[in-house]
């Protein structure tokens, strides 16, 4: 017991002096953490979401998300025939072809709204003739949007997207934050509007996959 007490006293002295010699570390701040790598200013990798060359940081990030979603939404429709694109699950459904045109029409609306400050009712007669059926779909969409091959729809989507990408080069991060106080039911900024363009394609991506699985 005597030897054990002497051992404990000695151990306590050594441990105490050792602790006093160690640097104090703030429990809330990790002073030895590795530095975080900054976001790349540009990347050709579609899976890197972030800034892109030619755009301000947040605008470039929006561009990267738009491009990623477009790549994903087109995968289920690659190689589809005209009959595949016109296929209807039932009398009230929309075809994949009509919904592809609908995606282009929706992006065209957000161009007109955010770049030109106009509502859908402010469409020119040319825009109205080209986009109204696809925007509203339903019976008119089923009647008028059929018989087109995949390249037709891809050209529509590419032409609209190329215009978006060019226009966004002239916008900055402050523009993204501009709030439209009278957009639909609540104030909405340009960032949210263009995020919706991306999210909207994601919704239809699920429909494309489902319809493709039902085509016989």
């Amino acid at each position: 017991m005597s030897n054990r007490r002497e051992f404990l006293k000695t151990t306590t002295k050594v441990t105490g002096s050792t602790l006093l010699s160690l640097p104090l570390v703030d429990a809330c701040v990790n002073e030895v953490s590795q530095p975080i790598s900054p976001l790349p200013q540009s990347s050709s990798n579609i899976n890197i979401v972030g800034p892109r060359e030619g755009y301000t940081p947040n605008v470039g990030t929006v561009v990267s998300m738009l491009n990623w979603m477009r790549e994903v939404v087109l995968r289920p429709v690659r190689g589809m025939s005209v009959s595949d694109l016109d296929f209807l699950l039932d009398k009230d459904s929309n075809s994949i072809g009509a919904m592809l045109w609908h995606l282009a029409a929706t992006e065209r609306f957000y161009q007109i709204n955010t770049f030109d400050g106009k509502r859908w009712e402010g469409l020119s007669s040319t825009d109205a003739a080209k986009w109204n059926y696809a925007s509203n779909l339903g019976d008119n969409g089923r009647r008028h949007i059929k018989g087109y091959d995949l390249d037709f729809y891809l050209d529509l989507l590419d032409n609209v997207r190329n215009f978006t990408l060019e226009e966004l080069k002239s916008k900055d991060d402050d523009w993204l934050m501009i709030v439209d106080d009278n957009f639909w039911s609540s104030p909405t900024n340009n960032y949210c509007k263009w995020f919706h363009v991306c999210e909207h394609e994601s919704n239809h991506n699920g429909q494309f996959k489902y319809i493709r699985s039902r085509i016989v």
Side-chain angles (χ1 to χ4, degrees):
M1 291 293 292
S2 177
N3 289 338
R4 186 177 298 171
R5 281 195 294 270
E6 290 300 318
F7 171 78
L8 290 174
K9 288 179 182 179
T10 304
T11 303
T12 302
K13 290 179 181 179
V14 172
T15 304
S17 62
T18 302
L19 288 174
L20 288 173
S21 67
L22 292 174
L24 294 177
V25 178
D26 188 335
C28 297
V29 179
N30 184 357
E31 296 181 351
V32 294
S33 62
Q34 295 298 316
I36 298 174
S37 299
L39 284 173
Q41 288 304 303
S42 178
S43 176
S44 58
N45 185 342
I46 197 168
N47 291 324
I48 302 298
V49 172
R52 288 294 183 269
E53 186 176 354
Y55 304 92
T56 56
N58 284 321
V59 173
T61 299
V62 170
V63 167
S64 73
M65 290 190 290
L66 289 170
N67 289 342
W68 189 91
M69 194 64 245
R70 177 59 56 83
E71 174 69 21
V72 171
V73 82
L74 292 181
R75 286 176 191 168
V77 308
R78 296 293 184 191
M80 279 192 166
S81 64
V82 172
S83 61
D84 291 338
L85 294 164
D86 289 347
F87 175 79
L88 294 171
L89 284 171
D90 54 52
K91 65 182 181 65
D92 296 317
S93 65
N94 298 303
S95 69
I96 287 178
M99 287 189 285
L100 287 170
W101 200 333
H102 175 72
L103 294 183
T106 299
E107 184 165 342
R108 178 59 185 146
F109 164 71
Y110 280 91
Q111 290 175 350
I112 293 167
N113 179 258
T114 62
F115 300 154
D116 303 331
K118 297 179 180 178
R119 306 295 184 196
W120 193 252
E121 58 270 18
L123 283 180
S124 67
S125 57
T126 302
D127 271 319
K130 187 172 184 176
W131 303 115
N132 272 344
Y133 291 142
S135 179
N136 298 318
L137 294 176
D139 288 337
N140 280 329
R142 284 185 283 275
R143 262 198 307 272
H144 294 279
I145 305 177
K146 55 186 176 180
Y148 300 100
D149 63 17
L150 182 60
D151 284 341
F152 172 83
Y153 296 112
L154 295 181
D155 285 344
L156 281 174
L157 288 162
D158 285 346
N159 289 336
V160 171
R161 177 55 54 82
N162 289 338
F163 183 73
T164 294
L165 297 179
E166 281 302 310
E167 284 296 304
L168 287 177
K169 287 179 179 179
S170 66
K171 308 303 181 186
D172 58 22
D173 291 354
D174 289 338
W175 174 84
L176 270 184
M177 301 303 172
I178 293 175
V179 175
D180 181 348
D181 289 324
N182 300 304
F183 190 74
W184 291 339
S185 60
S186 65
T188 308
N189 65 4
N190 287 331
Y191 211 147
C192 183
K193 291 178 182 181
W194 280 99
F195 175 76
H196 172 64
V197 174
C198 183
E199 176 266 341
H200 176 249
E201 293 198 2
S202 177
N203 286 337
H204 287 290
N205 181 47
Q207 292 178 302
F208 293 168
K209 290 176 180 176
Y210 178 71
I211 294 172
R212 185 185 182 101
S213 72
R214 299 292 303 276
I215 295 175
V216 294

